[in-house]
Amino acid sequence: MSVVDTDTSLDISEAITAKGGRFLEAVVTGSRVQAEQKQLIFLASGDRTLFADCEFCFRAMGKRSIYLGDVGNATRMNIVIDMIMGTMIAGLSEGMALAEKCGVNQNDVLEILEMSSMNCSLIRQKGKSIVEGADQEDAFQPHFPLKHQQKDLRLAIAMGDQVDQPLPVTAASNELFKRARSLGYGDQDMAAVYKATFL
């Protein structure tokens, strides 16, 4: 259960089914914390009967499993979800950096975000990591490593290229994540991308 490009999933499926086997692409969405709380979501595509056979395993580890049809769809869905998440965190990071540079209290920014339509656990958790990051060495302990988020942004850009879908916001976010990796933050939580927003 790992995110790879769609072509790799299709190649694996073809190799297995050519030998008479059954293949189910199963992609996990969620972080380390969600895994510990059995709150993962499983995205599956491929052999429908194998999905039914595996559902009890998915339920043991997560809160939901969703069947998405043909092989490749689970990977595509996960890439889209991770792309949205990465662009959200890049935007939050830049906003928090701008607030800091302008003398706006970052805790006030988070409080207002929590009262607005942008209130969600991702913004709350990563925003808290950003605020604590200046003072606490362990603020960026990996729940979802930055290097994996950057890989998923890269996969989204490639998928967009395959279907002629421009992704300028994703491309800009990817550059910020690449900068963070080059600064040595790849193994830290994806919220550490905040540290790459400063010159």
Side-chain angles (χ1 to χ4, degrees), residues 103-191:
V104 173
N105 185 297
Q106 290 179 328
N107 284 308
D108 291 343
V109 172
L110 287 181
E111 184 178 355
I112 292 166
L113 287 173
E114 288 176 13
M115 292 186 285
S116 76
S117 60
M118 291 181 282
N119 183 29
C120 68
S121 60
L122 182 69
I123 296 292
R124 287 191 307 272
Q125 292 165 2
K126 301 310 176 189
K128 182 180 176 193
S129 293
I130 288 168
V131 169
E132 292 175 352
D135 300 324
Q136 296 181 14
E137 187 63 34
D138 65 345
F140 297 111
Q141 289 297 311
H143 296 272
F144 188 68
L146 186 146
K147 65 185 175 187
H148 298 318
Q149 179 60 68
Q150 190 273 316
K151 174 206 43 134
D152 292 345
L153 289 171
R154 179 179 44 77
L155 290 172
I157 292 166
M159 193 167 77
D161 287 345
Q162 289 176 344
V163 296
D164 294 323
Q165 175 60 50
L167 300 172
V169 173
T170 303
S173 298
N174 186 50
E175 291 304 314
L176 185 59
F177 275 87
K178 283 169 51 180
R179 182 168 192 269
R181 284 187 75 177
S182 73
L183 293 171
Y185 306 132
D187 291 326
Q188 294 183 16
D189 188 75
M190 68 175 163

Side-chain angles (χ1 to χ4, degrees), residues 10 28 33-34 57 71 79 84 104 114 120 138 145 148 155 193:
L10 292 169
V28 179
V33 172
Q34 289 167 316
C57 294
V71 171
I79 289 171
I84 293 168
V104 173
E114 288 176 13
C120 68
D138 65 345
H148 298 318
L155 290 172
V193 72

Side-chain angles (χ1 to χ4, degrees), residues 67-121:
Y67 181 75
L68 297 168
D70 295 335
V71 171
N73 287 342
T75 294
R76 290 181 193 103
M77 178 66 78
N78 194 68
I79 289 171
V80 168
I81 298 300
D82 283 354
M83 177 193 81
I84 293 168
M85 182 170 58
T87 58
M88 286 176 62
I89 296 307
L92 175 66
S93 295
E94 285 190 346
M96 295 296 272
L98 180 61
E100 183 177 331
K101 288 277 184 147
C102 293
V104 173
N105 185 297
Q106 290 179 328
N107 284 308
D108 291 343
V109 172
L110 287 181
E111 184 178 355
I112 292 166
L113 287 173
E114 288 176 13
M115 292 186 285
S116 76
S117 60
M118 291 181 282
N119 183 29
C120 68
S121 60

